[in-house]
Amino acid sequence: MTNKNQIQQERWKASLQNNYGAPEISLVEGSGAQVWDAEGNEYLDFLGGIATNILGHAHPDLISAITRQANELGHVSNLYSHPRAIELAEKLKELTGSTNARVFFCNSGAEANEAALKLSRLSGRKKVVSTLGSFHGRTIGALSITGQVTKRKAFLPLLKDVTFIPFNDVKAAKKAMSKKVAMVIVEPIQGENGVVVPDLGYLKALRELTSKHGVLLVFDCVQTGMGRTGEWFGFEHEGVVPDVITLAKGLGGGLPLGAMIAIGKASSLFEPGSHGSTFGGSSVACASALASIKFLEDQGILERVKALELTLKLEISKSPMVASVRGSGLLIGIVLREPIAKKFITDLQNNGVLANATSDSVIRIAPPLIISNSQVSHFVEIFRKVSASYER
Ligand code: PLP
């Protein structure tokens, strides 16, 4: 065997567990939104580590922030404070627009949602309302509030007291409210479910309902946060503020970092000993996050994300194989007219573009937020070429 990708695949199979299957290509180098595999093939990375590498690969600002921090101070545990965690918490607080928000740092989206779940228990209530089709993570707590049967069924029984209601259904949410409900958790856009966008007004209605019933409202912005939708958090266009925001993915600019931001009364539920994480809010990950946010702010990237959304939606929807294009900012779901999404993304990959299929008929793109106009044009050109090969 001489193909270096295949060699890596065999080594993977022999030494890593089979929970992801063995990837066919092995990426060895990246720069911005370009990546190269072990055979030297170049790809345009339109998945960005699944909505994670907001500044792409090897961004000079991240490299210098991470290097500076690693030179200055490494891991300190939670027995001591360090400046980067405080600076980042202050920055996130500022971005929420709330003067009484407080942050808990962890390492991933599942952990951020676990933290929200534990926080909600401290309200004295136990029930959780979540939505069908949602994805909140793979740990037992996060999986218990994830509304996807395929991911849950091998691990039953999960936590009790979780009710799943249809997404985007205000009536169902109203029916599910009671004095026993501790929290309602919802993604502003269901990412893993195929970039499903609720009607305008849904999040606001949830805010009104939860406030009326004394229920904590948690917006899981793990996929829709940190500028992905052209806003800092994927719910801002509704003009509402939840009690809890969970973040991960883009937050660390590619390093593992999650956050659970509690706002208002919810911010005082945790007390010393309530929760913790050894690595949560590590100095290097926080330095990377601060540098990412600074770059997005200084360069006005969020406005650019909104403009690129319009271009991509317009151009992609011109392909006859496309039934609809949905999403917000640079989190876009392309609904195909036929159930060929898996074959379609293999064809994109063979033409040097990375994307993924969330189901048989939906392709998701979530490129780095720093993609250039020419990279957008290149994506559209390759997308059209592949699409044309299916047109009869
Ligand atoms: N919540 C949402 C909305 C997600 O999209 C994901 C991951 O895709 C998670 C939670 C879980 O994040 P992690 O894989 O970092 O645990």
Side-chain angles (χ1 to χ4, degrees):
M1 193 190 296
T2 51
N3 182 301
K4 294 193 179 92
N5 285 317
Q6 282 173 5
I7 293 169
Q8 294 295 80
Q9 190 178 32
E10 290 310 312
R11 287 178 63 189
W12 173 291
K13 276 186 195 160
S15 56
L16 280 109
Q17 294 191 25
N18 200 24
N19 53 315
Y20 301 112
E24 278 175 19
I25 58 172
S26 177
L27 298 179
V28 295
E29 204 181 326
S31 172
Q34 286 163 288
V35 287
W36 289 266
D37 71 15
E39 278 286 301
N41 299 310
E42 182 178 324
Y43 303 90
L44 179 59
D45 180 9
F46 251 55
L47 196 53
I50 314 189
T52 295
N53 303 328
I54 50 179
L55 301 196
H57 295 270
H59 194 281
D61 289 14
L62 291 197
I63 293 172
S64 70
I66 291 167
T67 314
R68 206 179 319 121
Q69 186 58 48
N71 272 314
E72 191 177 296
L73 178 74
H75 178 67
V76 299
S77 89
N78 295 302
L79 298 177
Y80 309 96
S81 105
H82 65 82
R84 298 300 95 72
I86 297 169
E87 285 158 20
L88 181 59
E90 286 171 350
K91 187 69 209 176
L92 290 174
K93 190 171 162 175
E94 179 196 316
L95 296 181
T96 67
S98 174
T99 50
N100 55 1
R102 288 201 281 171
V103 181
F104 166 78
F105 285 120
C106 51
N107 310 283
S108 68
E111 282 179 57
N113 289 326
E114 288 285 341
L117 195 54
K118 282 184 73 177
L119 185 94
S120 80
R121 288 276 173 108
L122 298 179
S123 71
R125 302 180 182 188
K126 284 202 172 52
K127 277 189 86 133
V128 175
V129 173
S130 180
T131 57
L132 292 167
S134 62
F135 185 72
H136 299 297
R138 305 269 191 169
T139 52
I140 290 290
L143 190 59
S144 297
I145 55 173
T146 285
Q148 297 192 17
V149 176
T150 48
K151 301 208 167 61
R152 296 162 55 88
K153 66 175 187 248
F155 303 100
L156 299 174
L158 294 166
L159 291 183
K160 292 187 294 191
D161 288 333
V162 184
T163 306
F164 292 100
I165 56 171
F167 186 61
N168 195 26
D169 186 336
V170 178
K171 268 195 195 148
K174 208 170 189 171
K175 250 175 103 183
M177 287 300 113
S178 81
K179 292 241 168 320
K180 291 190 175 154
V181 178
M183 76 182 213
V184 170
I185 182 162
V186 72
E187 295 159 81
I189 294 173
Q190 287 190 333
E192 295 304 298
N193 199 28
V195 194
V196 182
V197 185
D199 294 339
L200 194 64
Y202 176 60
L203 302 179
K204 194 158 182 247
L206 290 182
R207 176 67 287 180
E208 281 161 14
L209 275 175
T210 48
S211 295
K212 188 170 156 203
H213 290 87
V215 172
L216 294 177
L217 179 62
V218 182
F219 285 152
D220 176 345
C221 297
V222 167
Q223 193 154 156
T224 52
M226 304 322 294
R228 174 62 45 197
T229 62
E231 304 169 324
W232 286 110
F233 310 110
F235 56 80
E236 288 177 59
H237 59 287
E238 289 254 23
V240 291
V241 180
D243 302 293
V244 176
I245 302 167
T246 55
L247 294 172
K249 285 195 180 282
L251 176 61
L255 292 197
L257 184 63
M260 187 272 284
I261 310 173
I263 300 166
K265 275 193 201 154
S267 71
S268 357
L269 287 171
F270 272 175
E271 288 174 351
S274 297
H275 198 41
S277 159
T278 293
F279 284 118
S282 81
S283 58
V284 177
C286 289
S288 177
L290 283 162
S292 304
I293 295 171
K294 182 168 173 9
F295 185 85
L296 296 184
E297 279 186 328
D298 290 353
Q299 303 295 318
I301 300 286
L302 268 54
E303 292 87 73
R304 199 176 140 68
V305 165
K306 276 285 169 209
L308 292 178
E309 169 192 343
L310 300 182
T311 309
L312 278 163
K313 282 184 168 169
L314 180 73
E315 295 302 326
I316 293 166
S317 60
K318 287 180 185 163
S319 282
M321 290 307 291
V322 173
S324 63
V325 189
R326 60 197 187 198
S328 189
L330 289 174
L331 178 62
I332 293 179
I334 305 166
V335 186
L336 301 175
R337 290 192 191 280
E338 292 174 28
I340 50 164
K342 292 197 173 101
K343 170 92 175 60
F344 201 111
I345 59 140
T346 304
D347 293 346
L348 286 175
Q349 187 174 300
N350 291 336
N351 280 277
V353 170
L354 302 182
N356 94 309
T358 56
S359 68
D360 290 342
S361 56
V362 181
I363 291 172
R364 168 177 50 185
I365 55 171
L369 307 184
I370 46 89
I371 44 165
S372 65
N373 291 347
S374 65
Q375 285 169 328
V376 168
S377 304
H378 184 61
F379 171 82
V380 169
E381 185 193 319
I382 300 300
F383 185 87
R384 289 231 188 100
K385 180 180 161 195
V386 170
S387 182
S389 71
Y390 287 99
E391 289 158 24
R392 288 183 276 266

